[in-house]
Amino acid sequence: MIGVGIIGTGRMGNAHAGNLSKHPHARLVTAYDINPAQMDAFVKKFPEVKTAASVGEVVNNPGV
């Protein structure tokens, strides 16, 4: 299983997350966006995702 982190939860981030959720060997682990409202909307759509407080937290997540 490949763990994935998404940086940017706008239109493309949502598209990538939707595609990843259908892949049998990928798991969306964490995501970050500078815009808190956009991040909140993303988490409502993908509740299994853990939010990150920074880009560095996504990059350094051991599950990614």
Side-chain angles (χ1 to χ4, degrees):
M1 182 70 66
I2 296 171
V4 178
I6 290 185
I7 299 169
T9 58
R11 185 179 54 164
M12 288 308 300
N14 273 275
H16 291 314
N19 290 330
L20 286 166
S21 69
K22 297 173 190 168
H23 194 286
H25 301 293
R27 181 174 66 94
L28 186 53
V29 176
T30 187
Y32 170 74
D33 197 292
I34 195 167
N35 180 333
Q38 200 159 284
M39 188 72 229
D40 290 342
F42 184 85
V43 171
K44 286 179 184 169
K45 200 169 179 184
F46 303 99
E48 71 279 5
V49 175
K50 303 287 184 197
T51 61
S54 68
V55 170
E57 195 174 315
V58 173
V59 173
N60 294 313
N61 184 309
V64 173

